[in-house]
Structures are given as structure tokens and as C-alpha cells.
Amino acid sequence: MNTFYGEHSKVWLSVDCIIFGFDEGKLKILIGKRKMDPGRGEWSLYGGFVRSDESVDDAASRTLFELTGLRNLFMRQVGAFGNVDRDPGERVVSIAYYALINVRDYDDILRRAHGLVWMDVNEIPQLYSDHNEMVLKARKMMQQKLATEPVGFRLLPSLFTLTQLQKLYEAVNGVELDKRNFRKHVKEMDFIEKTELIDKTSSKRGAYLYRFNKRVYNEDPTFKM
């Protein structure tokens, strides 16, 4: 065993995951009550410590899989959070990540097993340590990404109505959009395809269902919402 860096104090490294979902017209995140000290019983994001044999990206991917049972999720690093007093237990630096999932793809049994709830992002309570700051920064990053890349489709089912799509953008950005202008803009995008299928869950007349065509988008990845 070597003695390199023995004169320096040790710092713990962890990851925290901000998992966004879209349900009932609202942007939501997964949170739960903390099951360990310090902060036991406080609302918290889901995370864990980085193992000695994995990168921080691998640790985040593992944590997301343990939580959701889903692989190949859209995941981006939010940043490092390392205030000296952020964790009363030890000196812990956390790397935060945000991920986007379709709520319907997530096994609700697994959610309950972890003791987690989907919470409206506009109504989240005070979270453990600096987790509220993580959520705010992640949402701003997602808003920027949503304006230049069609990542929002990861929050929707494979078939969706234009109303669902508009409500998604309104929920993420926190602003109301003009229906006519929004639909005109969307219909100019070749990679959003109208199908012959009709959703009649919201009205007798129903609404046409659309889908995202990834192949068409990849051929001409021009996007601005």
C-alpha cells in the first residue's frame, strides 16, 4: 500500500440524480425521505457514493438503473456541489446529474419499493442540504437544452397529441404559449409526424396522435423551439 497524498485530508465523492418526468400536464421530479443519517427523514434527491472502481458517469448510470430499472436514459451532468458545510456528516463533494424519463415506462412497484414520490417541480419542499439548488440549476439546463434539441420527446409516450406537447413545453419553461403559433411552428418540423390514430380520452371528437421520427431528424438536425 502506497502513502501517496498521505498529508492531505480525504474527501468523499457522491452523485445525486435529479430525475424529471412529465405527467398530468406537469413537470415532476422523483424525491423521497432520506433513510440514513445525517438528515434521516428529510426530503431528498436519490444518490449514492462513487465506488473506487467506477467513474462519476458510471456511478450516476448505476444509481439511475438501481432506481428505475431503465438503461440508456438521457442523462447530463449538472455540475459539482462542494461547499465545505454542505454535509454535516463528512466532507462530501457531490456531482449532480439530471435525467429524463417517460413516467409510464417506470415500474410503479419499483418506485414504491424505494419510497419515492413524483412531486410537481413547482411545489417541492425544502430538500436535504443543497438539493434544491441542484434542482433549480438542472431545470435551467433542461430549458436551454429543450430550446435547441428535441429532448422533450423523452418525457412523452411514443404517440402524443399536440396538446400534450404544448403542455410539456409550458411546464418545463413555466410560461403559457399561444396555441395557434405553437402548432404552426410544430407542423413546420418534418420530424414530428402526424399519424392516422386518434386519441379520444379527452373528448368525443378526439385529437390526432403524432410521433417523433428520429431518422428524419438525424438527416436534418435543425431545431429551434
Side-chain angles (χ1 to χ4, degrees), residues 125 158 192:
S158 58
I192 301 180

Side-chain angles (χ1 to χ4, degrees), residues 12-16 18 56 76-83 86 91-97 130 133-134 137 141:
W12 294 87
L13 183 63
S14 68
V15 293
D16 282 296
I18 304 106
V56 290
R76 292 294 184 273
Q77 189 178 116
V78 176
F81 293 77
N83 286 345
R86 66 173 301 276
R91 179 77 170 92
V92 180
V93 173
S94 182
I95 311 298
Y97 290 79
D130 49 11
E133 182 183 348
M134 293 179 182
K137 186 174 181 180
M141 291 179 66

Side-chain angles (χ1 to χ4, degrees), residues 10-213:
K10 291 184 177 181
V11 175
W12 294 87
L13 183 63
S14 68
V15 293
D16 282 296
C17 298
I18 304 106
I19 303 176
F20 290 107
F22 179 69
D23 191 34
E24 298 177 341
K26 297 179 180 179
L27 181 66
K28 299 184 178 182
I29 63 169
L30 274 177
I31 60 174
K33 293 294 185 70
R34 192 169 164 87
K35 299 178 181 179
M36 59 184 293
D37 294 319
R40 186 184 298 271
E42 295 182 29
W43 286 107
S44 172
L45 297 172
Y46 191 87
F49 287 100
V50 179
R51 296 171 180 171
S52 60
D53 62 347
E54 62 184 0
S55 68
V56 290
D57 285 354
D58 289 342
S61 294
R62 170 180 55 80
T63 300
L64 285 170
F65 178 71
E66 291 174 352
L67 179 62
T68 67
L70 303 173
R71 296 192 185 277
N72 301 317
L73 295 175
F74 177 89
M75 179 185 78
R76 292 294 184 273
Q77 189 178 116
V78 176
F81 293 77
N83 286 345
V84 174
D85 60 350
R86 66 173 301 276
D87 192 307
E90 292 285 353
R91 179 77 170 92
V92 180
V93 173
S94 182
I95 311 298
Y97 290 79
Y98 81 88
L100 309 179
I101 70 173
N102 179 356
V103 172
R104 304 305 177 191
D105 289 340
Y106 184 22
D107 188 340
D108 207 50
I109 295 177
L110 190 59
R111 178 190 64 78
R112 293 197 301 271
H114 284 286
L116 300 173
V117 298
W118 283 110
M119 184 77 70
D120 185 336
V121 72
N122 296 311
E123 299 176 358
I124 57 174
Q126 180 61 47
L127 303 177
Y128 176 74
S129 184
D130 49 11
H131 289 188
N132 289 83
E133 182 183 348
M134 293 179 182
V135 174
L136 287 174
K137 186 174 181 180
R139 187 178 184 184
K140 288 180 180 178
M141 291 179 66
M142 182 172 59
Q143 289 171 344
Q144 294 170 351
K145 180 69 72 174
L146 196 67
T148 58
E149 295 181 31
V151 296
F153 297 106
R154 296 176 180 271
L155 295 167
L156 293 170
S158 58
L159 295 173
F160 52 85
T161 65
L162 291 185
T163 296
Q164 286 176 306
L165 184 61
Q166 179 174 338
K167 286 185 177 297
L168 168 65
Y169 276 84
E170 290 177 336
V172 172
N173 293 307
V175 295
E176 187 173 344
L177 301 173
D178 179 79
K179 181 178 178 179
R180 180 177 298 178
N181 289 339
F182 180 83
R183 295 195 173 203
K184 179 181 178 182
H185 186 47
V186 167
K187 289 179 179 179
E188 293 172 349
M189 300 176 182
D190 293 338
F191 54 83
I192 301 180
E193 295 182 338
K194 181 180 180 180
T195 73
E196 296 303 315
L197 301 173
I198 296 178
D199 172 40
K200 293 188 176 181
T201 58
S202 58
S203 68
K204 290 183 179 180
R205 182 181 178 184
Y208 278 103
L209 289 166
Y210 290 72
R211 63 186 169 209
F212 171 63
N213 189 318

